[in-house]
Amino acid sequence: MQNAFDLIVIGSGPAGRRAAIQAAKLDKNVLVVEKSHRVGGVSVHTGTIPSKTLRETVLNLSGWRERGFYGRTYKVKSDITANDLRHRLSKTLDHEVDVLEHQFTRNNVTMINGHARFLSRQEVEVALPDGRVQQVKFERALISVGTKPYRPDYVPFNGTTVLDSDEILNIADLPRSLTVIGAGVIGIEYATIFSALDISVTVIEPRSSILSFIDDELIDEFTYELRDRGIKLLLGCKAQNVHAFDGHCIVDLSDGRKVKSEMVLYAAGRLGASTDIGLDAIGLDADSRGRLKVDPVTFETDVPNIYAAGDIIGFPSLASTSMSQGRIAVCHAFQVPNPAQPEHFPYGIYAVPEISTVGLSERELKEQGIPYECGVARFRETSRGHIMGLQRGMLKLLFHIETRKLLGVHIVGEGATELIHIGQAVLVLGGELSYFIDNVFNYPTLAEAYKIAALDAWNRLSLHGDATIQTAATDLAVVNG
Ligand SMILES: Cc1cc2nc3c(=O)[nH]c(=O)nc-3n(C[C@H](O)[C@H](O)[C@H](O)COP(=O)(O)OP(=O)(O)OC[C@H]3O[C@@H](n4cnc5c(N)ncnc54)[C@H](O)[C@@H]3O)c2cc1C
């Protein structure tokens, strides 16, 4: 292998891999260093893809999507085991890795397996798995080392009954009861996935609400559903101690209560993986959570020609945004006009049920003093919803009262993470209420909920005395109201 590159990328997660491919497309000499034995990062091996595969497997084997018709006890497979869940997981991951490796080969990206550490602002050393160390010079570098689960001292992690979110993927047996500490996105996703297997789930969260960045009405709907199916949400109290005994665990809460379960998942936070990459050799510091500071437009660190992207720079810490950051960083690094980060990007929370949102929430609109009106559709109002046996799920649109422009889209329910992209397109392109009213949607679809919600908003907006919307669907809108 040569020992000088135009770009060295440390970490092969979504940020690193997209950056590497972008640089290769610009005819640059690229080296990706990955310390794990397989490419893909947290996203492919312990985060996004495994958790979504697990979710899909659980929904399929449990018959979850059919329970609206056949009742709560309906199951496709009666005895679902941890082995059943792992089977599909390993196949999916193998396929993902295959595609990634092929992408690197096709684009002449050089890959090396080892731990990278900066020696200076022009050189890294790579500790190879066989013990050798190789020095590599670079013109530009991208730090995309991601994060690892936060593991506080008071939690006696043992890899079998007290686990972090990496370890939960490798459990030998499914528990009959599970306590999840932390009601962030990861905690809530796993809590609802395991609950869909009829495992008794308790969630502990020190804040008084969950997923506070999501529209309040959506969270009300979501938490109602979670409680309705038996998930215990213990909000406003902290886990203070965790004890692992033979066959069960006890979590002591700050308010004096105790929670007993067969398994505990600790999912309250992640730390940037920046401790061992030689930051001092390049004059950079990480914050207390191991994260790096960058220019929010170019992703350059305080050291010229050294960039950072993905979870290592913190919010929003999504695979989707990490990819776009990696690409923007490389465009800037090689003086190619770089696309700006979009103002609006969607959030997808793959809980059961899914949540997805783009644009402003009602709370944000109120805080910013923007006059708005909303329109709501329930999935059970759509024919597609009837066909699928959906009893829950809602879509909410927020429009500017004067301009009628779309300001926010908030969805909870089946297909939310796909449906959101219709709203995202309209929002980003500056579209208005009339788009949804005037255009024909496939029927029967869940997307029809957009039209129903828009008609609901139209009815409310017409109360404001402004008859600016003249559409062929006006009568329909009134009927719908
Ligand atoms: C359980 C879970 C579920 C998630 N679900 C979603 C989701 O549904 N949608 C979504 O958009 N996002 C999701 N995420 C977030 C997503 O996984 C991350 O945002 C994304 O993986 C971040 O990508 P990254 O490029 O920053 O690095 P990572 O994917 O974290 O990869 C970093 C890589 O760098 C390597 N590395 C670290 N240090 C070194 C070193 N010194 N030398 C060489 N290599 C090194 C690591 O081995 C790793 O492979 C989820 C995360 C978790 C944990």
Side-chain angles (χ1 to χ4, degrees), residues 180-350:
V180 177
I181 302 177
V185 175
I186 296 172
I188 286 292
E189 285 188 357
Y190 279 122
T192 56
I193 291 170
F194 279 92
S195 150
L197 286 170
D198 297 322
I199 290 167
S200 161
V201 175
T202 305
V203 179
I204 299 167
E205 166 61 47
R207 280 171 290 198
S208 55
S209 62
I210 60 169
L211 307 173
S212 51
F213 59 99
I214 302 287
D215 187 89
D216 295 338
E217 194 178 355
L218 233 68
I219 292 301
D220 285 349
E221 178 90 8
F222 181 72
T223 44
Y224 174 82
E225 177 167 345
L226 264 45
R227 287 196 162 113
D228 186 50
R229 67 182 216 231
I231 297 181
K232 290 175 226 53
L233 294 175
L234 304 184
L235 306 181
C237 58
K238 263 182 139 159
Q240 273 188 329
N241 268 308
V242 179
H243 311 277
F245 302 101
D246 198 16
H248 72 278
C249 305
I250 298 281
V251 180
D252 300 335
L253 302 184
S254 52
D255 59 11
R257 286 184 287 174
K258 291 179 187 293
V259 179
K260 181 179 174 185
S261 59
E262 283 189 2
M263 193 176 274
V264 173
L265 166 64
Y266 186 87
R270 297 182 66 86
L271 293 176
S274 59
T275 38
D276 204 14
I277 57 171
L279 285 182
D280 43 347
I282 52 173
L284 280 183
D285 272 333
D287 68 13
S288 59
R289 304 181 70 192
R291 310 236 155 105
L292 297 178
K293 187 167 83 50
V294 291
D295 178 316
V297 176
T298 64
F299 301 100
E300 198 168 21
T301 64
D302 288 342
V303 179
N305 290 338
I306 297 187
Y307 293 74
D311 284 11
I312 190 66
I313 65 166
F315 179 84
S317 294
L318 293 169
S320 52
T321 47
S322 300
M323 287 189 247
S324 131
Q325 292 167 1
R327 179 169 163 248
I328 294 171
V330 161
C331 288
H332 185 265
F334 294 108
Q335 289 101 41
V336 172
N338 56 301
Q341 277 252 93
E343 186 190 349
H344 299 293
F345 54 85
Y347 271 100
I349 301 175
Y350 292 78

Side-chain angles (χ1 to χ4, degrees), residues 418-432:
E418 297 282 355
L419 284 169
I420 198 72
H421 296 108
I422 298 174
Q424 180 193 10
V426 177
L427 182 78
V428 171
L429 295 170
E432 300 171 14

Side-chain angles (χ1 to χ4, degrees), residues 10-17 33-36 38-49 51-52 114-117 144-147 165-166 185-186 189-190 270 273 276-277 309-312 316-322 348-350:
I10 307 179
S12 68
R17 95 191 191 217
V33 187
E34 170 54 60
K35 71 175 183 188
S36 295
R38 297 179 91 191
V39 294
V42 164
S43 176
V44 171
H45 298 287
T46 51
T48 317
I49 305 298
S51 58
K52 266 80 266 182
H115 183 116
R117 188 177 292 106
S144 48
V145 291
T147 55
S165 63
D166 287 359
V185 175
I186 296 172
E189 285 188 357
Y190 279 122
R270 297 182 66 86
D276 204 14
I277 57 171
D311 284 11
I312 190 66
S317 294
L318 293 169
S320 52
T321 47
S322 300
I349 301 175
Y350 292 78

Side-chain angles (χ1 to χ4, degrees), residues 4 28 50 68 74 134 164 193 198 209 215 244 263 295 305 362 372 432 437 440 448 462 465:
K28 304 297 171 191
Y74 175 77
Q134 182 155 358
D164 67 25
I193 291 170
D198 297 322
S209 62
D215 187 89
M263 193 176 274
D295 178 316
N305 290 338
E362 273 200 73
Y372 71 92
E432 300 171 14
I437 294 181
V440 174
E448 203 202 337
S462 61

